[in-house]
Amino acid sequence: MSQSTDPASPAGQIAAGYAFTGPALDLGALLWDGSCLPDRQIRIPLSMLNRHGLVAGATGTGKTKTLQLIAEQLSANGVPVFLADIKGDVSGISAPGATNAKIEERAKDVAQEWEGTGFPSEFYSLGGIGPGIPLRSTVTSFGPVLMSKVLQLNQTQEQSLGLIFHYADTKGLELIDLKDLRAVVAFLVSDKGKPELKGIGGLSTVTAGVILRALTAFEQQGAAEFFGEPEFDTSEFLRTASDGRGLVSVLELPAVQDKPQLFSTFLMWLLADLYTDLPEVGDLEKPKLVFFFDEAHLLFNGASKAFLEAITQTVRLIRSKGIGVFFVTQTPKDVPADVLAQLGNRVQHALRAFTPDDAKALKATVKTFPNSPYDLEELLTQLGTGEAVITVLSENGAPTPVAATRLRAPQSLMGPIDAAALDQAVKSSLLYSRYAEPIDRESAYEKISAEQAAAEAEAEAAAAAAEAEKQAKAAPKPDPSLAEQVVGSGLFRSLARSIGTQVGREISRSIFGTARRRR
């Protein structure tokens, strides 16, 4: 009996772990002993997609196509998807793919009935930089922890920034864009603003200077475009198309791919915002949304303890909101252990072992998998493009056996659609008119500027009044009249003194009771 038909063989036992009864996504066919077994299908239960996952592998091993494959099947099952398009080659998911010899060969290998199919898509951009409906966040909504991460502040500076946000909230100073945050920081280290935080720790001039310089550098990268209004409502990602298929939301990032710290942190804001707004729903038959977090290592590089704790909590709890999260990166060691432990579904593409660090990463990756009949350390260096080692959660939540898999080919276009088609898709969207034009309403910057202007006007008025009084005192007196000249003359003053002395004596006598002498 061959490996492909013997249920007691290792291949049969592995395949039995993927024989699910409910709806599932078809990933590919089992690889065993150098052969692809098309009758041994490797799948993932639809109900387990909210248990999160990891897609990892070296550059060029097919991670992006794996995302496309999973996203297509989710959409076909009525599940909305969010994808970050770092290199600009995911937009093709909206258009049917074109067959060729390689696709036909792959379809035959894995028993796939391949048909070119496009999927309903919306295209977004960060703040309108590049093609797409602009995604914006207010500074208040972004929050101090994420802002500290993107500004690369240390722990002390992060705590000070939290204090600044707290002050703005309590005083009704809305932090809409970066100039609002700059205005509040500058105010709190001014003579008038210093007493405001005195009772709760204060803000040092040095820390304020660091924050302001970081904001300046951030703005010079063009980041000011990402903060403002109208703020994007992340519930827009949860929509389905008129035919019932899930909408694929593609965030176009090629125009900002040189700002990885920014877009990775912004992706985390989108996820955190979904977590905050959505109600608890428990376990569902299928997720409300599956969120693919590409270039995940950028999110964790240099992250503070508070930031990592926030990510861990979000990932742990968002499952009960019906959201599944797949982190996409090169090796599992790019993801902190506390986060990695929550990723129940794994698709591991090939790894390279050219250097001692590579070899170390390979050994660490092998240790993250359950025990398996494969020699994973050898297998992971020999996988071809479009092949991966997979383990997922079964319908009862238990890990499936490790399965080397030749993956199916995506049915949509494996590459970008042309610029004109992308622009047309963006501008024909019902959301374009809602989010395209920025709004700049009164917020912290305007309120503080108005107070400063009023204070300056008051000071100027006081200074003008003082100057007027000074000038009035210094003004020359007019020439005295003839009467004033007579009264002021020396003769008149002498005569007045003489008369005054005599009158004074008379008065003194009368007062003290002494009688005048008779002559």
Side-chain angles (χ1 to χ4, degrees), residues 44-59:
I44 178 171
L46 188 59
S47 60
M48 290 293 111
L49 266 297
N50 70 332
R51 301 300 180 93
H52 311 321
L54 176 73
V55 178
T59 301

Side-chain angles (χ1 to χ4, degrees), residues 117-408:
T117 309
F119 294 82
S121 303
E122 291 271 24
F123 299 97
Y124 300 94
S125 65
L126 285 188
I129 296 182
I133 298 161
L135 297 185
R136 298 184 187 89
S137 164
T138 64
V139 170
T140 293
S141 179
F142 206 69
V145 175
L146 287 173
M147 185 63 75
S148 296
K149 174 68 166 64
V150 83
L151 295 179
Q152 302 180 51
L153 304 181
N154 63 29
Q155 185 176 353
T156 300
Q157 293 155 0
E158 180 178 332
Q159 291 169 348
S160 294
L161 190 61
L163 200 61
I164 293 164
F165 273 71
H166 172 73
Y167 171 78
D169 287 342
T170 57
K171 295 297 182 179
L173 297 172
E174 294 169 296
L175 303 178
I176 303 297
D177 50 28
L178 292 181
K179 71 177 185 295
D180 292 324
L181 179 56
R182 178 186 294 282
V184 173
V185 175
F187 170 73
L188 289 174
V189 290
S190 68
D191 291 339
K192 185 177 180 181
K194 281 180 182 177
E196 294 287 330
L197 295 183
K198 192 172 182 180
I200 51 175
L203 175 67
S204 77
T205 305
V206 173
T207 298
V210 171
I211 294 172
L212 289 172
R213 286 192 296 275
L215 283 171
T216 298
F218 194 37
E219 288 173 313
Q220 287 174 348
Q221 295 177 18
E225 299 290 337
F226 311 131
F227 295 96
E229 290 182 321
E231 184 175 65
F232 185 73
D233 182 355
T234 50
S235 67
E236 306 282 11
F237 294 147
L238 306 179
R239 294 175 297 141
T240 55
S242 57
D243 60 5
R245 291 186 295 172
L247 202 62
V248 180
S249 298
V250 182
L251 178 58
E252 292 294 325
L253 294 170
V256 292
Q257 61 180 311
D258 59 336
K259 304 175 180 64
Q261 199 81 348
L262 172 65
F263 69 68
S264 64
T265 311
F266 200 91
L267 289 176
M268 192 63 221
W269 171 76
L270 295 175
L271 196 58
D273 194 69
L274 284 165
Y275 165 72
T276 302
D277 289 349
L278 291 176
E280 295 278 341
V281 293
D283 291 326
L284 302 173
E285 292 182 359
K286 61 183 180 181
K288 287 185 174 183
L289 172 74
V290 175
F291 191 104
F292 288 92
F293 207 123
D294 206 355
E295 300 290 340
H297 64 284
L298 299 170
L299 181 69
F300 302 110
N301 285 349
S304 69
K305 182 180 178 182
F307 185 73
L308 290 176
E309 287 174 351
I311 294 174
T312 304
Q313 182 183 31
T314 301
V315 173
R316 185 174 67 250
L317 299 178
I318 203 170
R319 178 186 69 79
S320 63
K321 306 287 185 92
I323 306 295
V325 184
F326 273 71
F327 290 99
V328 186
T329 189
Q330 295 194 358
T331 71
K333 73 180 184 66
D334 292 334
V335 181
D338 288 345
V339 177
L340 190 63
Q342 300 174 56
L343 310 183
N345 304 298
R346 299 275 300 278
V347 180
Q348 177 67 60
H349 287 268
L351 291 173
R352 308 304 179 211
F354 299 138
T355 69
D357 286 344
D358 291 341
K360 186 177 179 181
L362 175 61
K363 289 180 181 295
T365 298
V366 169
K367 290 179 180 178
T368 64
F369 280 92
N371 290 332
S372 129
Y374 293 101
D375 181 349
L376 288 179
E377 195 167 330
E378 180 180 357
L379 177 62
L380 286 172
T381 61
Q382 296 178 349
L383 292 170
T385 301
E387 296 177 346
V389 170
I390 292 174
T391 179
V392 301
L393 294 180
S394 66
E395 290 167 310
N396 63 7
T400 59
V402 175
T405 307
R406 181 163 294 162
L407 296 165
R408 293 184 168 217

Side-chain angles (χ1 to χ4, degrees), residues 13 105 406 429:
Q13 292 175 359
E105 181 182 0
R406 181 163 294 162
S429 169

